Amino acid sequence: GPKVLQIPSHQIIDMGQMVTLNCDPVSNHLYFYWYKQILGQQMEFLVNFYNGKVMEKSKLFKDQFSVERPDGSYFTLKIQPTALEDSAVYFCASSRDWGNYAEQFFGPGTRLTVL
Amino acid sequence: GDSVTQKEGLVTLTEGLPVMLNCTYQTIYSNAFLFWYVHYLNESPRLLLKSSTDNKRTEHQGFHATLHKSSSSFHLQKSSAQLSDSALYYCALSDDGNEKITFGAGTKLTIKP
């Protein structure tokens, strides 16, 4: 089936540094999402994105977070500066359509460790 | 806000026995969609089942679930567990659109020979 890729699979950085997580969505998908999963907890919605704009974000999407998809390339999540509580697995997802009849396809996640 | 509860964090069963993973939810929206996602180790979470129709059984790949709005439940069942069913199972909810999915904490299902 359709695959979403995430690069890198693991990232270790020092607190205060910037990190960019990359997502390669399914090729004909137009809607993009990030979710965060802290170890042992549930996956939580961060943000969704369409046509160059954030459509909705949760309270977890702090001011230090930003997303973009320049020129149809990777859909990225940037954290600047990082904090210890940003350590988590970040899942990217994409969907072709909007609404309840559209399936979100997930990537395998990027495990971010902030030291 | 919306919430999803999966009571069992870990379920261990012997191959061939029936599977039932519990899921209850809370939402103010009457047209909520409920999902089950399966997450195998080192793979991506993928959709297993979804439903928004009250009291209608939904089936896929040997699993089935029925949305019961009266009890706010969407339990996942399978008549006979297979070793390959070992994975993390997430129950999830979307209210008026698929833009944001609320996940439960997940149930780790382990099937033993």
Side-chain angles (χ1 to χ4, degrees):
Chain A
K3 286 193 183 298
V4 175
L5 304 177
Q6 289 189 241
I7 303 148
S9 57
H10 294 80
Q11 179 89 52
I12 301 174
I13 58 169
D14 291 324
M15 182 177 62
Q17 286 190 316
M18 181 195 76
V19 68
T20 300
L21 308 183
N22 298 294
C23 172
D24 188 8
V26 178
S27 61
N28 61 346
H29 285 188
L30 301 175
Y31 302 88
F32 312 107
Y33 315 80
W34 283 103
Y35 293 82
K36 175 183 179 182
Q37 186 175 34
I38 294 173
L39 186 64
Q41 300 183 22
Q42 66 250 58
M43 217 182 305
E44 293 188 272
F45 170 80
L46 281 177
V47 66
N48 54 29
F49 186 86
Y50 168 71
N51 198 26
K53 297 176 188 171
V54 169
M55 304 297 288
E56 185 180 3
K57 59 185 180 181
S58 73
K59 61 180 186 299
L60 296 179
F61 194 79
K62 304 181 297 184
D63 291 343
Q64 298 89 330
F65 287 32
S66 62
V67 290
E68 65 176 355
R69 192 184 187 217
D71 301 324
S73 59
Y74 288 150
F75 175 51
T76 62
L77 173 65
K78 184 185 292 186
I79 310 174
Q80 180 178 27
T82 51
L84 295 176
E85 61 265 27
D86 297 331
S87 293
V89 178
Y90 290 83
F91 290 95
C92 171
S94 69
S95 65
R96 188 184 61 188
D97 300 304
W98 194 248
N100 276 320
Y101 297 96
E103 180 179 343
Q104 289 186 27
F105 290 85
F106 284 80
T110 293
R111 182 177 298 277
L112 175 66
T113 303
V114 181
L115 302 175
Chain B
D2 296 342
S3 67
V4 177
T5 302
Q6 294 179 250
K7 286 192 306 186
E8 310 106 346
L10 296 168
V11 172
T12 302
L13 292 170
T14 302
E15 187 180 16
L17 290 182
V19 177
M20 179 157 170
L21 305 184
N22 286 293
C23 173
T24 57
Y25 64 92
Q26 283 190 314
T27 180
I28 62 171
Y29 294 93
S30 58
N31 193 34
F33 269 68
L34 270 294
F35 308 87
W36 276 100
Y37 282 83
V38 59
H39 190 186
Y40 294 100
L41 191 63
N42 297 323
E43 294 186 11
S44 303
R46 63 175 175 83
L47 181 65
L48 181 59
L49 292 172
K50 76 175 185 181
S51 178
S52 66
T53 307
D54 199 11
N55 298 317
K56 182 181 176 184
R57 176 171 160 142
T58 301
E59 297 190 39
H60 187 59
Q61 295 186 336
F63 287 90
H64 64 92
T66 303
L67 177 59
H68 292 296
K69 293 187 179 182
S70 60
S71 57
S72 298
S73 67
F74 191 57
H75 306 319
L76 183 67
Q77 299 182 69
K78 187 177 185 185
S79 59
S80 176
Q82 298 176 285
L83 295 176
S84 58
D85 294 330
S86 295
L88 264 170
Y89 291 82
Y90 292 102
C91 184
L93 162 74
S94 172
D95 43 50
D96 59 342
N98 196 34
E99 302 85 12
K100 177 177 78 173
I101 298 176
T102 300
F103 285 88
T107 298
K108 184 176 180 182
L109 177 64
T110 302
I111 307 300
K112 294 187 171 180

